Amino acid sequence: MPSEPELATRAVTAQRAAARRLAAAGVASPEHDARALLAHVLGISPGRLVTVDELTVAQAERYERLVAERADRVPLQHLTGVAGFRRLDLAVGPGVFVPRPETESLVEWGLAPLRGHRHPVVVDLCAGSGAIALSVADEVPAATVYAVEREGDAVAWAQRNVAGTAVRLVHADVAGVLPELDGTVDLVLANPPYIPDGASVEREVAEHDPPAALWGGADGMETVRVVIATAARLLRPGGAVGIEHADLQGESVPALLRRVGEFGQVADHRDLAGRPRFATGIRVGG
Ligand SMILES: C[S@@+](CC[C@H](N)C(=O)[O-])C[C@H]1O[C@@H](n2cnc3c(N)ncnc32)[C@H](O)[C@@H]1O
């Protein structure tokens, strides 16, 4: 019988073995995820892992189970229950889209048009976990921020995230939403479902992100069209819209914005990885 100390696993050994297993399973960032899961099991930040020598049997077993799930391509954020987005940690899990780092660029762009407004009104269409709305509210505390989401499961996660904040969560389809705000909104931001039906996506996405968050019809633009119509209705003259899109829609979404005739200064923007990521425009008229 091994004595109790011999049962303990060296943390660094377990972490290396986990990274090898995740790499073999095709996980995109195996070292990062192995660290993040170990830190999650230990209830510490990844930066403090260097202070841990050994895992208890219970910790090692829990780590092993989580690594096995990650190797089976369950998203890291579903296993830890948290997704970082700009300055926030958001609760996420089955039933809600995991916020992506590339969407942070859209929020960054959206903050600029708000400068100079004492009490701007902002609407996040297709809000999911509430990542965009909550970030704007966090970084522009004087703003009145609405978050619109249609799917009940996603709304339940958003409710958790907006609790204790001033964000106004609206459980509705973006079509026809918030008519009382027509012509008064300063900024509309949206990360709608935009993947063309049938496109191939990673297992984490296909099996764990909700279908309503992903698929945008044959050309990927079904919800984008509704978002543009709703933004045109909600925005005041001079108000701004920013809409995230797929890599291949860097021309088609700006073209759609120009075609409706209610937006000027239409432009497309790249994310930090240099890929076309979101289109913007300014509501004309007066
Ligand atoms: C790609 S996710 C984005 C979530 C979040 N804004 C983010 O960036 O992490 C799109 C979200 O739009 C919601 N959605 C799809 N169609 C919608 C519609 N017609 N009206 C309202 N919400 C919709 C989905 O349920 C999903 O939560």
Side-chain angles (χ1 to χ4, degrees):
M1 279 286 282
S3 63
E4 190 62 20
E6 285 171 316
L7 284 172
T9 308
R10 290 208 61 212
V12 67
T13 309
Q15 190 186 318
R16 284 194 193 129
R20 281 196 300 274
R21 182 170 179 182
L22 296 182
V27 170
S29 45
E31 277 94 12
H32 170 272
D33 290 13
R35 273 170 65 79
L37 286 174
L38 187 55
H40 174 65
V41 165
L42 297 172
I44 60 177
S45 69
R48 290 188 45 81
L49 283 174
V50 286
T51 66
V52 179
D53 288 331
E54 291 185 339
L55 306 181
T56 65
V57 172
Q59 287 168 340
E61 285 176 355
R62 177 144 185 257
Y63 188 44
E64 166 82 17
R65 279 197 302 275
L66 288 173
V67 170
E69 285 192 79
R70 185 70 192 100
D72 196 28
R73 308 302 287 273
V74 177
L76 174 68
Q77 296 85 351
H78 283 203
L79 298 173
T80 61
V82 178
F85 188 83
R86 292 186 68 86
R87 308 195 310 201
L88 305 176
D89 283 335
L90 299 157
V92 294
V96 73
F97 182 83
V98 174
R100 306 294 206 270
E102 49 268 35
T103 305
E104 295 179 340
S105 312
L106 172 67
V107 175
E108 184 67 35
W109 173 85
L111 298 178
L114 298 184
R115 288 195 191 102
H117 294 282
R118 285 166 66 90
H119 299 291
V121 178
V122 181
V123 179
D124 170 9
L125 297 174
C126 299
S129 64
I132 294 173
L134 283 159
S135 288
V136 173
D138 174 47
E139 296 178 52
V140 187
T144 300
V145 185
Y146 295 81
V148 179
E149 170 58 48
R150 183 189 62 194
E151 301 297 318
D153 288 347
V155 167
W157 285 102
Q159 257 158 358
R160 254 174 94 167
N161 286 318
V162 305
T165 77
V167 170
R168 303 174 187 196
L169 182 59
V170 183
H171 185 177
D173 195 293
V174 297
V177 76
L178 294 169
E180 66 277 20
L181 297 183
D182 281 3
T184 66
V185 172
D186 298 291
L187 174 68
V188 172
L189 294 175
N191 177 14
Y194 51 65
I195 304 175
D197 290 353
S200 99
V201 293
E202 289 178 339
R203 274 187 63 202
E204 283 90 340
V205 178
E207 296 174 15
H208 297 282
D209 277 319
L214 303 176
W215 308 111
D219 63 354
M221 306 275 273
E222 261 174 26
T223 309
V224 174
R225 288 187 190 90
V226 183
V227 162
I228 289 176
T230 297
R233 174 173 60 75
L234 290 174
L235 288 170
R236 63 167 175 77
V241 63
I243 304 169
E244 182 166 323
H245 57 65
D247 301 10
L248 296 176
Q249 295 163 344
E251 291 181 6
S252 53
V253 176
L256 209 54
L257 274 170
R258 286 188 193 97
R259 207 175 308 141
V260 296
E262 286 156 316
F263 295 99
Q265 302 176 49
V266 173
D268 201 66
H269 307 255
R270 292 175 183 264
D271 61 22
L272 292 176
R275 288 177 300 228
R277 183 56 58 213
F278 62 96
T280 60
I282 304 296
R283 181 74 165 90
V284 295

